[in-house]
Amino acid sequence: GAGVSQSPSNKVTEKGKDVELRCDPISGHTALYWYRQSLGQGLEFLIYFQGNSAPDKSGLPSDRFSAERTGGSVSTLTIQRTQQEDSAVYLCVCGSLGQYFGPGTRLTVT
Amino acid sequence: GEDVEQSLFLSVREGDSSVINCTYTDSSSTYLYWYKQEPGAGLQLLTYIFSNMDMKQDQRLTVLLNKKDKHLSLRIADTQTGDSAIYFCAERGRDDKIIFGKGTRLHILP
């Protein structure tokens, strides 16, 4: 595809349920970041993948959050036992300069 | 840990210059960035500067970097209504993690 795609674009879930967010990056870019943006806030770093190196997970807020990147391409961010404070827009970014942003997944936990 | 600070609001008259300031803490930053987020849209990379440079100019945009003071600024000449947006400063450390500020909302006065 021409750009970074994310799915779903919107997700409403009940507190306590698990959710899985997907990112399809631009082919060939080995760097991939996940961020979340809460209403009126900046971007909070979650995790960074670079090629086959071990990911930098230092931004994951709790052990309910995990992410993987299969084959150096598609990445999934999983949130288990969702809480209301998890509500945010989750952004996938790729490119060595962090220059390609996906449209985001808006997660609402009710 | 790393931190990026910027003022939250700036109001400028149309036609004047806008100067958005940012400070950061990571002395090992490799790149410094400015991103723009227009209302209802995603972030887009506006410009960036290598940490060994002190100035970069691109049309109406001028980026100044004072590495000693860890201060970055973005000057927008002849500010137009289309420049109304949130501007995010970000820095990239040697670990390649990109840390964002909370964003400066630029409001254009007629």
Side-chain angles (χ1 to χ4, degrees), chain A residues 16 26 60 88 95:
Chain A
I26 297 172
L60 294 178

Side-chain angles (χ1 to χ4, degrees), chain A residues 16-109:
Chain A
K17 301 278 191 192
D18 297 352
V19 294
E20 190 172 278
L21 313 180
R22 178 186 167 109
C23 170
D24 283 89
I26 297 172
S27 177
H29 286 281
T30 56
L32 186 149
Y33 302 80
W34 281 97
Y35 289 85
R36 71 177 176 183
Q37 185 177 26
S38 302
L39 188 64
Q41 298 295 310
L43 275 71
E44 178 186 1
F45 168 79
L46 297 177
I47 189 168
Y48 166 56
F49 295 91
Q50 174 56 271
N52 295 322
S53 303
D56 180 342
K57 304 180 183 180
S58 59
L60 294 178
S62 77
D63 59 8
R64 296 186 295 104
F65 288 72
S66 62
E68 62 178 27
R69 190 176 184 193
T70 52
S73 182
V74 171
S75 179
T76 54
L77 176 70
T78 302
I79 310 173
Q80 296 178 309
R81 305 181 303 282
T82 51
Q83 303 294 312
Q84 287 185 326
E85 61 263 27
D86 300 335
S87 296
V89 176
Y90 288 81
L91 293 163
C92 175
V93 188
C94 74
S96 59
L97 292 176
Q99 69 269 45
Y100 302 112
F101 276 74
T105 293
R106 182 176 297 278
L107 175 66
T108 304
V109 182

